[in-house]
Amino acid sequence: MTTDASSVRPALDRSGSRIDHVNIAVPDLDVAVAFYEPVLASIGITKMLEIPAVPQAEMPAMTGFGLAEVKPYFWLIDAGTVGTNMHLAFTVDTRDDVETFHRACLEHGATELHAPAIWEQYHDDYYGGFVLDPYGINLEAVCHHPA
């Protein structure tokens, strides 16, 4: 039996985003960087920029993470308050990457919410794992590709 090309559903590229960057306020930048630096490195996101505080301008210290040679897009901002019900998901290329990220989070002090699994309520190939970071932020790595 052959399948007509017009009846095959095209694969969606779910990796795109219109978000340029995001800032996350944390109470202690050093503690947050100590957690996020190795965790993000597990999925290829590196520390790129450290901006010192400028007290006279009321500007807190910041650390930016991103893809090397591209730009920082994930920023931790010192001396802030973490918002409630905050969730941040990182797109990764493979299900193994989800498991690597999840394991790195747990090894660096995160609390498990949900072990990596398929979440069919989102779509058939949604594979994600969830943890709480040291400040209670719900972190996830998600792969949108089939196994």
Side-chain angles (χ1 to χ4, degrees):
M1 173 186 219
T2 61
T3 304
D4 182 308
S6 64
S7 68
V8 176
R9 192 173 82 189
L12 295 175
D13 179 2
R14 298 178 190 270
S15 63
S17 175
R18 292 281 185 208
I19 297 172
D20 185 75
H21 61 275
V22 63
N23 292 356
I24 305 294
V26 294
D28 186 320
L29 184 60
D30 291 336
V31 169
V33 169
F35 172 79
Y36 277 97
E37 190 168 9
V39 164
L40 294 176
S42 77
I43 57 172
I45 299 171
T46 60
K47 182 168 69 172
M48 295 181 67
L49 197 54
E50 294 179 290
I51 299 175
V54 183
Q56 62 274 25
E58 297 183 19
M59 291 179 62
M62 301 183 283
T63 300
F65 296 83
L67 297 177
E69 306 301 321
V70 179
K71 69 173 186 174
Y73 54 82
F74 176 72
W75 290 87
L76 297 172
I77 311 300
D78 196 22
T81 302
V82 175
T84 59
N85 202 24
M86 184 175 283
H87 174 65
L88 179 60
F90 294 95
T91 301
V92 295
D93 295 327
T94 69
R95 293 177 181 199
D96 285 342
D97 292 340
V98 170
E99 294 174 17
T100 296
F101 178 83
H102 190 81
R103 189 171 43 255
C105 287
L106 296 176
E107 288 171 0
H108 289 90
T111 303
E112 183 165 59
L113 284 176
H114 303 288
I118 295 286
W119 297 87
E120 290 179 349
Q121 64 266 42
Y122 302 125
H123 64 78
D124 291 343
D125 294 316
Y126 193 110
Y127 187 79
F130 302 78
V131 300
L132 288 177
D133 84 351
Y135 295 112
I137 297 172
N138 177 342
L139 297 180
E140 173 189 6
V142 58
C143 174
H144 295 284
H145 305 295

